[in-house]
Amino acid sequence: SQKIEQNSEALNIQEGKTATLTCNYTNYSPAYLQWYRQDPGRGPVFLLLIRENEKEKRKERLKVTFDTTLKQSLFHITASQPADSATYLCALSRETGANNLFFGTGTRLTVIP
Amino acid sequence: GAGVSQSPRYKVAKRGQDVALRCDPISGHVSLFWYQQALGQGPEFLTYFQNEAQLDKSGLPSDRFFAERPEGSVSTLKIQRTQQEDSAVYLCASSLGQGEEKLFFGSGTQLSVL
């Protein structure tokens, strides 16, 4: 069956440290993978997109890697802040050319001051 | 509009009632998606439109769920004879429809079936 798994339901880290979230998938051949942030009572908000031919993408304190051999993406937040506390979702297309996205279960990150 | 708008924000229904959830996408966005999100879970894909054409409805859980987008803009998700397991947040998202692009989400409709 097709699965998108994120490493843990919840992750607590100390302010200033780097948070690393994992997204693993099976039975998908995505052309790209995306990461979203979701705050309570709100819809997900897009953060980053990485394509299958890209190993790494950065945006300010965010970094995403994509390993199509391992079928895994890592999402890093450096110098984490309490305002980074939210649920982070990975999402990917089922196959090249598909526009609809399928989401992982999400990881709830709490940054402790 | 400035963003994706969904209404109502909250809906309480008695089991067996029909409900209709509305999504107003960003103006000019060709693609529209519906997702169902249970508490503590990620969004689950329901269905996808390109303009008025429903290209994928494989995620609709049963024939009680029906979605339409007759003029390629506003979309309605209808659930007939609601059941308790339908209780969830229903999210709508839109995009330009050019492929490999981010989705813009509304805040969702929280449906509670009693």
Side-chain angles (χ1 to χ4, degrees):
Chain A
S1 64
Q2 296 166 319
K3 283 186 187 177
I4 306 169
E5 293 179 331
Q6 297 189 236
N7 55 327
S8 57
E9 279 191 14
L11 179 65
N12 297 330
I13 63 165
Q14 209 68 37
E15 182 177 4
K17 300 292 186 184
T18 296
T20 299
L21 285 65
T22 305
C23 177
N24 295 291
Y25 59 93
T26 55
N27 295 328
Y28 284 84
S29 299
Y32 59 95
L33 186 146
Q34 301 184 18
W35 283 87
Y36 287 77
R37 169 185 173 139
Q38 187 173 28
D39 291 285
R42 309 299 297 270
V45 174
F46 171 81
L47 295 174
L48 281 167
L49 179 152
I50 186 165
R51 294 184 172 79
E52 59 180 340
N53 60 350
E54 297 174 317
K55 295 296 184 190
E56 182 179 296
K57 204 82 167 278
R58 291 176 185 260
K59 179 183 174 183
E60 298 172 354
R61 294 184 295 110
L62 308 180
K63 184 178 87 170
V64 173
T65 63
F66 191 14
D67 188 326
T68 55
T69 302
L70 291 178
K71 294 186 181 292
Q72 181 182 78
S73 175
L74 299 179
F75 177 79
H76 307 272
I77 306 175
T78 58
S80 58
Q81 304 167 1
D84 296 327
S85 299
T87 295
Y88 291 86
L89 299 156
C90 68
L92 46 85
S93 62
R94 183 173 284 158
E95 58 201 10
T96 302
N99 288 332
N100 42 340
L101 288 181
F102 295 84
F103 283 80
T105 48
T107 297
R108 189 173 66 251
L109 173 69
T110 302
V111 180
I112 303 163
Chain B
V4 178
S5 178
Q6 290 188 247
S7 61
R9 186 74 178 87
Y10 302 94
K11 176 69 180 178
V12 178
K14 289 184 180 177
R15 193 171 54 181
Q17 277 185 332
D18 297 349
V19 298
L21 312 180
R22 176 188 168 107
C23 173
D24 210 329
I26 292 173
S27 178
H29 276 195
V30 168
S31 297
L32 186 145
F33 307 81
W34 283 99
Y35 288 85
Q36 179 191 61
Q37 188 171 28
L39 191 63
Q41 301 295 314
E44 292 280 342
F45 171 79
L46 294 177
T47 186
Y48 156 54
F49 290 85
Q50 189 91 336
N51 294 306
E52 68 278 6
Q54 190 173 19
L55 297 188
D56 187 344
K57 55 180 181 179
S58 62
L60 295 176
S62 76
D63 58 9
R64 296 186 297 103
F65 286 72
F66 172 76
E68 60 183 4
R69 194 186 184 199
E71 296 177 1
S73 179
V74 171
S75 177
T76 303
L77 176 67
K78 297 178 179 177
I79 309 173
Q80 297 176 323
R81 304 180 304 281
T82 52
Q83 300 176 6
Q84 281 190 312
E85 59 262 31
D86 299 334
S87 296
V89 174
Y90 290 85
L91 293 165
C92 175
S94 69
S95 70
L96 287 169
Q98 295 170 354
E100 292 191 8
E101 57 193 7
K102 59 187 176 183
L103 301 187
F104 294 82
F105 280 85
S107 292
T109 293
Q110 184 169 329
L111 173 65
S112 299
V113 182
L114 307 179

